[in-house]
mmCIF file of all heavy atoms in Angstrom:
data_model
loop_
_atom_site.group_PDB
_atom_site.id
_atom_site.type_symbol
_atom_site.label_atom_id
_atom_site.label_comp_id
_atom_site.label_asym_id
_atom_site.label_seq_id
_atom_site.Cartn_x
_atom_site.Cartn_y
_atom_site.Cartn_z
ATOM 1 N N ARG T 9 -5.155 15.476 -6.437
ATOM 2 C CA ARG T 9 -5.650 14.119 -6.572
ATOM 3 C C ARG T 9 -5.403 13.622 -7.942
ATOM 4 O O ARG T 9 -5.133 12.416 -8.163
ATOM 5 C CB ARG T 9 -7.161 14.140 -6.307
ATOM 6 C CG ARG T 9 -7.644 14.263 -4.941
ATOM 7 C CD ARG T 9 -7.169 13.095 -4.081
ATOM 8 N NE ARG T 9 -7.526 11.794 -4.568
ATOM 9 C CZ ARG T 9 -8.730 11.251 -4.465
ATOM 10 N NH1 ARG T 9 -9.786 11.895 -3.763
ATOM 11 N NH2 ARG T 9 -9.017 10.107 -5.002
ATOM 12 N N TYR T 10 -5.400 14.494 -8.929
ATOM 13 C CA TYR T 10 -5.153 14.123 -10.350
ATOM 14 C C TYR T 10 -4.241 15.082 -11.015
ATOM 15 O O TYR T 10 -4.349 16.367 -10.765
ATOM 16 C CB TYR T 10 -6.493 14.022 -11.094
ATOM 17 C CG TYR T 10 -7.531 13.089 -10.504
ATOM 18 C CD1 TYR T 10 -8.520 13.705 -9.605
ATOM 19 C CD2 TYR T 10 -7.605 11.825 -10.739
ATOM 20 C CE1 TYR T 10 -9.445 12.830 -9.064
ATOM 21 C CE2 TYR T 10 -8.480 10.931 -10.237
ATOM 22 C CZ TYR T 10 -9.404 11.531 -9.286
ATOM 23 O OH TYR T 10 -10.305 10.703 -8.744
ATOM 24 N N LYS T 11 -3.380 14.636 -11.946
ATOM 25 C CA LYS T 11 -2.522 15.531 -12.649
ATOM 26 C C LYS T 11 -2.232 14.911 -14.023
ATOM 27 O O LYS T 11 -1.892 13.678 -14.091
ATOM 28 C CB LYS T 11 -1.232 15.749 -11.888
ATOM 29 C CG LYS T 11 -0.325 16.849 -12.497
ATOM 30 C CD LYS T 11 -0.868 18.155 -12.222
ATOM 31 C CE LYS T 11 0.074 19.248 -12.735
ATOM 32 N NZ LYS T 11 -0.468 20.622 -12.468
ATOM 33 N N ILE T 12 -2.409 15.651 -15.025
ATOM 34 C CA ILE T 12 -2.064 15.215 -16.414
ATOM 35 C C ILE T 12 -0.946 16.110 -16.964
ATOM 36 O O ILE T 12 -1.138 17.337 -16.952
ATOM 37 C CB ILE T 12 -3.359 15.225 -17.357
ATOM 38 C CG1 ILE T 12 -4.430 14.333 -16.789
ATOM 39 C CG2 ILE T 12 -2.908 14.819 -18.753
ATOM 40 C CD1 ILE T 12 -5.673 14.368 -17.557
ATOM 41 N N ILE T 13 0.128 15.559 -17.413
ATOM 42 C CA ILE T 13 1.172 16.321 -17.903
ATOM 43 C C ILE T 13 1.713 15.661 -19.197
ATOM 44 O O ILE T 13 1.417 14.505 -19.456
ATOM 45 C CB ILE T 13 2.363 16.538 -16.956
ATOM 46 C CG1 ILE T 13 2.931 15.191 -16.483
ATOM 47 C CG2 ILE T 13 1.880 17.367 -15.736
ATOM 48 C CD1 ILE T 13 4.160 15.336 -15.682
ATOM 49 N N GLU T 14 2.576 16.386 -19.938
ATOM 50 C CA GLU T 14 3.192 15.828 -21.049
ATOM 51 C C GLU T 14 4.630 15.296 -20.664
ATOM 52 O O GLU T 14 5.148 15.811 -19.705
ATOM 53 C CB GLU T 14 3.276 16.749 -22.212
ATOM 54 C CG GLU T 14 1.907 17.114 -22.735
ATOM 55 C CD GLU T 14 1.906 17.961 -23.994
ATOM 56 O OE1 GLU T 14 3.069 18.351 -24.432
ATOM 57 O OE2 GLU T 14 0.827 18.072 -24.683
ATOM 58 N N LYS T 15 5.101 14.365 -21.430
ATOM 59 C CA LYS T 15 6.458 13.805 -21.097
ATOM 60 C C LYS T 15 7.402 14.932 -21.168
ATOM 61 O O LYS T 15 7.308 15.905 -21.929
ATOM 62 C CB LYS T 15 6.852 12.663 -21.922
ATOM 63 C CG LYS T 15 6.895 12.956 -23.446
ATOM 64 C CD LYS T 15 7.263 11.700 -24.230
ATOM 65 C CE LYS T 15 7.249 12.040 -25.688
ATOM 66 N NZ LYS T 15 7.472 10.790 -26.595
ATOM 67 N N ARG T 16 8.442 14.821 -20.243
ATOM 68 C CA ARG T 16 9.537 15.835 -20.084
ATOM 69 C C ARG T 16 9.079 16.985 -19.244
ATOM 70 O O ARG T 16 9.999 17.842 -18.958
ATOM 71 C CB ARG T 16 10.065 16.292 -21.422
ATOM 72 C CG ARG T 16 10.873 15.184 -22.152
ATOM 73 C CD ARG T 16 11.593 15.723 -23.375
ATOM 74 N NE ARG T 16 10.693 16.010 -24.418
ATOM 75 C CZ ARG T 16 10.210 15.200 -25.331
ATOM 76 N NH1 ARG T 16 10.628 13.963 -25.373
ATOM 77 N NH2 ARG T 16 9.392 15.525 -26.315
ATOM 78 N N GLN T 17 7.858 17.126 -18.955
ATOM 79 C CA GLN T 17 7.444 18.124 -17.997
ATOM 80 C C GLN T 17 7.687 17.685 -16.558
ATOM 81 O O GLN T 17 8.087 16.545 -16.337
ATOM 82 C CB GLN T 17 5.963 18.488 -18.155
ATOM 83 C CG GLN T 17 5.619 19.251 -19.466
ATOM 84 C CD GLN T 17 4.137 19.694 -19.492
ATOM 85 O OE1 GLN T 17 3.320 18.996 -19.084
ATOM 86 N NE2 GLN T 17 3.935 20.871 -20.040
ATOM 87 N N SER T 18 7.534 18.659 -15.634
ATOM 88 C CA SER T 18 7.847 18.305 -14.231
ATOM 89 C C SER T 18 6.471 18.400 -13.415
ATOM 90 O O SER T 18 5.499 18.983 -13.882
ATOM 91 C CB SER T 18 8.840 19.311 -13.605
ATOM 92 O OG SER T 18 8.275 20.592 -13.642
ATOM 93 N N VAL T 19 6.480 17.647 -12.345
ATOM 94 C CA VAL T 19 5.225 17.669 -11.441
ATOM 95 C C VAL T 19 5.683 17.517 -10.022
ATOM 96 O O VAL T 19 6.806 16.933 -9.790
ATOM 97 C CB VAL T 19 4.362 16.481 -11.879
ATOM 98 C CG1 VAL T 19 4.987 15.097 -11.719
ATOM 99 C CG2 VAL T 19 2.959 16.512 -11.158
ATOM 100 N N ALA T 20 4.851 18.016 -9.091
ATOM 101 C CA ALA T 20 5.204 17.824 -7.659
ATOM 102 C C ALA T 20 3.936 17.435 -6.975
ATOM 103 O O ALA T 20 2.853 17.915 -7.254
ATOM 104 C CB ALA T 20 5.730 19.108 -7.086
ATOM 105 N N PHE T 21 4.110 16.579 -6.023
ATOM 106 C CA PHE T 21 3.002 16.062 -5.144
ATOM 107 C C PHE T 21 3.356 16.451 -3.733
ATOM 108 O O PHE T 21 4.476 16.395 -3.304
ATOM 109 C CB PHE T 21 2.843 14.542 -5.316
ATOM 110 C CG PHE T 21 2.547 14.072 -6.742
ATOM 111 C CD1 PHE T 21 3.449 13.402 -7.447
ATOM 112 C CD2 PHE T 21 1.295 14.411 -7.317
ATOM 113 C CE1 PHE T 21 3.171 12.979 -8.702
ATOM 114 C CE2 PHE T 21 1.081 14.079 -8.646
ATOM 115 C CZ PHE T 21 2.057 13.330 -9.344
ATOM 116 N N TRP T 22 2.265 16.706 -3.034
ATOM 117 C CA TRP T 22 2.457 17.090 -1.551
ATOM 118 C C TRP T 22 1.694 16.145 -0.686
ATOM 119 O O TRP T 22 0.645 15.541 -1.102
ATOM 120 C CB TRP T 22 1.830 18.476 -1.440
ATOM 121 C CG TRP T 22 1.848 19.020 -0.045
ATOM 122 C CD1 TRP T 22 2.788 19.574 0.651
ATOM 123 C CD2 TRP T 22 0.644 19.053 0.852
ATOM 124 N NE1 TRP T 22 2.381 19.952 1.934
ATOM 125 C CE2 TRP T 22 1.067 19.654 2.036
ATOM 126 C CE3 TRP T 22 -0.607 18.590 0.664
ATOM 127 C CZ2 TRP T 22 0.252 19.792 3.148
ATOM 128 C CZ3 TRP T 22 -1.521 18.743 1.731
ATOM 129 C CH2 TRP T 22 -0.990 19.345 2.973
ATOM 130 N N CYS T 23 2.268 15.897 0.480
ATOM 131 C CA CYS T 23 1.660 15.024 1.479
ATOM 132 C C CYS T 23 1.819 15.632 2.859
ATOM 133 O O CYS T 23 2.879 16.054 3.208
ATOM 134 C CB CYS T 23 2.320 13.690 1.442
ATOM 135 S SG CYS T 23 1.859 12.565 2.726
ATOM 136 N N ASN T 24 0.679 15.537 3.623
ATOM 137 C CA ASN T 24 0.721 15.963 4.978
ATOM 138 C C ASN T 24 0.338 14.727 5.789
ATOM 139 O O ASN T 24 -0.823 14.327 5.672
ATOM 140 C CB ASN T 24 -0.187 17.125 5.265
ATOM 141 C CG ASN T 24 0.005 17.786 6.666
ATOM 142 O OD1 ASN T 24 1.235 17.782 7.099
ATOM 143 N ND2 ASN T 24 -1.006 18.312 7.204
#
Side-chain angles (χ1 to χ4, degrees):
Chain T
R9 287 294 309 278
Y10 305 93
K11 189 73 175 180
I12 301 174
I13 61 173
E14 296 190 348
K15 60 183 179 184
R16 291 188 289 273
Q17 287 187 323
S18 63
V19 64
F21 301 111
W22 174 83
C23 172
N24 194 30

